[in-house]
Amino acid sequence: MTPTLSHLIADLADGRIEVVDLTIPLGIETQVIALPPIFAPSPGVSMQVISQYDEMGPGWYWNTITMGEHTGTHFDAPVHWVTGKDLPHNATDTIPPGRFVGPGCVIDVARESATDPDFLLTPEHIQAWEGVNGLIPRGAWVLLRTDWSTRSGADFLNADATGPHTPGFHQRASEFLVRERDILGVGVETIGTDAGQAGGFPVPFPNHTIMHGAGKFGLASLCNLDRLPATGSVIIAAPLKLVRGSGSPLRVLALVAR
Ligand code: 23J
Ligand code: MN
């Protein structure tokens, strides 16, 4: 084994590196995105027992699961959006696996999001973060900490008569990240990588439109971003190898030095 991997194993075993779970529980209670009723809805999660140590299978327990690809903590592949539909290696089964691992950059806007649920990150916010933490490195996962994952029930989607109110990226921030930096993608604590009101923006769903059009990925419904340093973590986010998949639920892990 190389010294690097030997050190990794030893540091994991001795607790110098902690594995932080950035994944919310996936079950029938998991909330799904609420699109305008003119569009087909996400079906939510259902599970059915195939057998449970009974006459259907005396020695084993297993379930059937049904859900949309974009459910709970999940990965968005470029093919998810029309802007990414013709890119090479744009689906869950064709993205090179090296692109599932990269350094985490955590931009903390929890305070701003608490006072303004429609808060949008701008390039100016990103550059202020870089002034403190250094440039977003090549191959980074850019993670937006909003503490939205601490909300439960109706407060998570936070919808009223004008639709959902959840924070996200200004169109200019998504453009800045794809043009001026070389990232893997962005991750958020909210139900999708666009702000709640983004369906009505000048470019509808600008983050999906711009990220996926540039071959970048998304991670939605993350949690525990408050347990990550601004820089220095390693994020592992590998979706299921669904053939022509537009995304999938997944387990997102962060390696963090303690
Ligand atoms: C479909 C349509 C609009 C959106 C989404 C899905 C997501 O957020 C998603 O899960 O990718 S905004
Ligand atoms: Mn999605």
Side-chain angles (χ1 to χ4, degrees):
M1 212 183 296
T2 72
T4 311
L5 288 178
S6 302
H7 279 130
L8 174 62
I9 298 283
D11 288 350
L12 284 165
D14 298 339
R16 285 184 296 274
I17 296 175
E18 184 191 358
V19 180
V20 177
D21 191 354
L22 306 186
T23 318
I24 66 168
L26 181 61
I28 58 170
E29 312 269 275
T30 304
Q31 300 199 51
V32 294
I33 194 167
L35 295 174
I38 53 165
F39 302 120
S42 185
V45 177
S46 61
M47 293 179 75
Q48 265 144 5
V49 175
I50 301 172
S51 73
Q52 194 164 13
Y53 330 117
D54 53 18
E55 62 281 6
M56 306 299 279
W60 49 93
Y61 164 59
W62 52 348
N63 300 302
T64 301
I65 53 176
T66 307
M67 68 195 74
E69 291 171 322
H70 299 256
T71 301
T73 301
H74 73 270
F75 183 99
D76 291 355
V79 74
H80 178 41
W81 221 252
V82 64
T83 49
K85 75 181 180 62
D86 295 321
L87 294 175
H89 312 301
N90 61 357
T92 48
D93 58 330
T94 56
I95 298 166
R99 295 181 62 72
F100 299 141
V101 183
C105 293
V106 180
I107 303 180
D108 182 1
V109 296
R111 211 164 33 84
E112 294 86 340
S113 303
T115 45
D116 176 12
D118 293 313
F119 172 81
L120 299 179
L121 189 81
T122 64
E124 292 72 31
H125 291 118
I126 298 171
Q127 286 174 297
W129 181 94
E130 289 182 327
V132 177
N133 298 288
L135 286 193
I136 294 170
R138 180 163 50 93
W141 283 109
V142 175
L143 307 177
L144 191 63
R145 175 181 166 193
T146 55
D147 287 354
W148 219 256
S149 59
T150 65
R151 291 177 170 236
S152 57
D155 289 347
F156 183 60
L157 292 179
N158 200 37
D160 63 16
T162 60
H165 294 274
T166 58
F169 299 92
H170 193 283
Q171 177 181 333
R172 291 192 301 111
S174 304
E175 288 167 346
F176 174 83
L177 288 171
V178 307
R179 290 178 190 164
E180 309 297 333
R181 299 293 180 266
D182 182 11
I183 66 171
L184 292 176
V186 296
V188 298
E189 294 181 55
T190 46
I191 201 128
T193 64
D194 263 294
Q197 289 288 295
F201 288 176
V203 172
F205 306 113
N207 187 70
H208 280 81
T209 301
I210 293 159
M211 283 294 147
H212 300 327
K216 312 298 183 190
F217 314 137
L219 295 171
S221 292
L222 298 173
C223 63
N224 292 328
L225 296 185
D226 60 323
R227 293 176 56 193
L228 304 187
T231 64
S233 66
V234 176
I235 308 298
I236 305 166
L240 297 180
K241 203 166 183 171
L242 288 173
V243 176
R244 293 206 58 233
S246 76
S248 91
L250 81 172
R251 198 76 180 246
V252 182
L253 304 177
L255 305 184
V256 179
R258 289 299 173 213

